[in-house]
């Protein structure tokens, strides 16, 4: 369980809004302050009401994951052997990118299920890449053995305080850019993004923002874990399997895979914005009616990634 992190001031802190703010200051030179677009839900054929989209797919490496990657590399002591990470794709790309910027050796392990687009992006950052195992759990086990043998520092995709605090900077920016927001919808893979946003937004406290997690029906990792009362493997039969099915994950609204594809298409048709399936899962919950806002409820949706081959300008 994640319990704390070293902040830029050298103090150990639990996961708090103040800790997120401190990490935001540390990683600010290296990450983009991604824009938001404020529209009406009627643009998507829903009952009228305010909708804010946080366009995190415009972030370096194509997803929010780079925030946690830089938080790890800037706040932890990096050994001479560098860093290692296991990933379905986006986290690996983020760690590879951050390591390249900071001049740190990196070896990234991904399972065979990772998309060709994400594998290509990792390779473009000149990190050592190993494709091994059928699932994230398999790649993670190999990465652990490599870390033990080499002395490289593991950068976990979600179960690491620095990763969560880095992801939380998405929520911090969103609160600054759209202070009227009452509810935030975000995808669940391992839970790092959701935990970070909930921390930054003081979810569950008086005056805090409500944060709703969304995961595909075909990859219900958090739902299975909550039912079991412990981390549990879940099925990985989803279009978003490479980003939202980590399979070693410790509540969520379920999004049907067809709804995810429809949300991806709607995002492109209405706004000419490209999102990968996992990045569109939260929007799918809204457009499919799995999450129904109250009249006038101000909803924000995080479009969390765009590492997809859906757009091919060479065709």
């Amino acid at each position: 369980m994640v319990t704390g992190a070293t902040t830029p001031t050298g103090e150990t802190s639990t996961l708090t809004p103040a800790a997120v703010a401190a990490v935001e200051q540390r990683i600010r030179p290296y990450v983009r302050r991604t824009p938001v677009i404020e529209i009406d839900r009627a643009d998507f054929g829903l009952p009228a009401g305010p909708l804010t989209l946080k366009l995190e797919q415009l972030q370096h490496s194509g997803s929010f994951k780079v925030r946690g990657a830089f938080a790890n590399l800037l706040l932890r002591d990096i050994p001479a052997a560098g860093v290692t990470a296991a990933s379905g794709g986006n986290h690996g790309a983020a760690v590879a990118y951050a390591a390249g910027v900071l001049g740190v050796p990196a070896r990234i392990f991904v399972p065979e299920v990772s998309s060709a687009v994400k594998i290509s992006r990792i390779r473009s950052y000149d990190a050592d890449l190993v494709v091994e195992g059928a699932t994230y759990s398999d790649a993670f086990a190999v990465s652990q053995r490599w870390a033990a043998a080499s002395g490289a520092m593991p950068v976990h995709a979600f179960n690491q305080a620095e990763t969560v605090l880095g992801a939380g900077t998405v929520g911090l920016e969103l609160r600054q850019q759209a202070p009227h927001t009452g509810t935030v919808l975000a995808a669940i893979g391992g839970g790092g993004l959701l935990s970070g946003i909930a921390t930054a937004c003081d979810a569950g406290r008086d005056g805090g923002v409500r944060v709703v997690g969304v995961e595909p029906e075909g990859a219900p990792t958090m739902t299975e874990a909550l039912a079991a009362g412990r981390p549990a493997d879940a099925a990985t039969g989803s279009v978003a399997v490479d980003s939202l099915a980590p399979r070693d994950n410790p509540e969520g609204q379920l999004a049907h895979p067809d709804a995810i594809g429809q949300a991806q298409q709607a995002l492109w048709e209405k706004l000419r914005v490209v999102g990968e399936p996992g990045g569109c899962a939260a929007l799918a919950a809204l457009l499919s009616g799995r999450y129904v806002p109250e009249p006038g409820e101000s909803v924000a949706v995080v479009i969390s990634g765009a590492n997809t081959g859906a757009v091919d300008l060479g065709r």
Side-chain angles (χ1 to χ4, degrees):
M1 178 177 289
V2 175
T3 56
T6 302
T7 69
T9 60
E11 299 174 352
T12 299
S13 172
T14 54
L15 300 180
T16 65
V20 174
V23 168
E24 194 276 337
Q25 291 297 310
R26 190 72 171 89
I27 69 174
R28 174 50 45 207
Y30 303 97
V31 302
R32 292 173 179 152
R33 183 178 174 88
T34 55
V36 299
I37 180 170
E38 297 189 339
I39 59 177
D40 196 291
R41 295 195 287 270
D43 290 351
F44 287 106
L46 300 172
L51 174 62
T52 300
L53 301 181
K54 176 65 169 167
L55 303 181
E56 195 62 15
Q57 87 282 4
L58 301 179
Q59 188 57 261
H60 291 298
S61 78
S63 82
F64 76 94
K65 293 282 191 177
V66 80
R67 297 171 181 269
F70 272 115
N72 274 276
L73 270 62
L74 292 170
L75 299 176
R76 298 169 65 191
D77 294 330
I78 301 175
V83 298
T84 184
S87 167
N90 283 342
H91 176 65
V95 173
Y97 173 81
V101 170
L102 298 174
V104 174
R107 177 168 289 193
I108 309 299
F109 295 82
V110 299
E112 295 164 3
V113 73
S114 295
S115 72
V117 171
K118 294 177 181 178
I119 288 175
S120 177
R121 186 176 282 272
I122 294 171
R123 286 193 171 125
S124 75
Y125 298 136
D126 294 328
D128 291 334
L129 176 65
V130 178
V131 181
E132 187 168 341
T135 67
Y136 169 82
S137 289
D138 298 331
F140 180 67
V142 177
S143 74
Q144 285 184 305
R145 291 195 292 271
W146 166 255
S150 67
M153 183 184 82
V155 180
H156 201 283
F158 48 89
N159 193 27
Q160 181 75 37
E162 289 83 0
T163 303
V164 173
L165 292 171
T169 63
V170 174
L172 178 62
E173 287 182 11
L174 183 56
R175 293 204 76 175
Q176 294 168 345
Q177 294 166 312
H180 53 277
T181 297
T183 302
V184 179
L185 272 62
I188 302 176
L193 177 62
L194 192 74
S195 298
I197 292 175
T199 298
C201 292
D202 246 357
R205 301 190 182 188
D206 292 341
V209 175
R210 183 182 185 214
V211 179
V212 178
V214 179
E215 60 187 356
E217 287 182 338
T221 52
M222 188 66 72
T223 299
E224 294 289 340
L226 289 173
R230 56 177 173 76
D233 282 349
T236 54
S238 169
V239 67
V241 64
D242 62 341
S243 56
L244 299 184
R247 288 183 67 83
D248 76 338
N249 179 43
E251 173 176 11
Q253 301 289 325
L254 297 180
H256 192 278
D258 288 345
I260 292 175
Q262 291 164 7
Q264 188 182 26
Q265 185 68 30
L267 190 64
W268 172 249
E269 290 182 352
K270 301 299 183 182
L271 299 174
R272 284 299 187 259
V273 170
V274 176
E276 66 182 86
C280 292
L283 181 62
L286 183 66
L287 301 190
S288 68
R290 299 304 294 267
Y291 180 81
V292 180
E294 297 292 330
E297 180 182 352
S298 185
V299 177
V301 173
V302 179
I303 309 299
S304 54
N307 286 316
T308 173
V311 176
D312 183 358
L313 299 180
R315 287 186 302 193

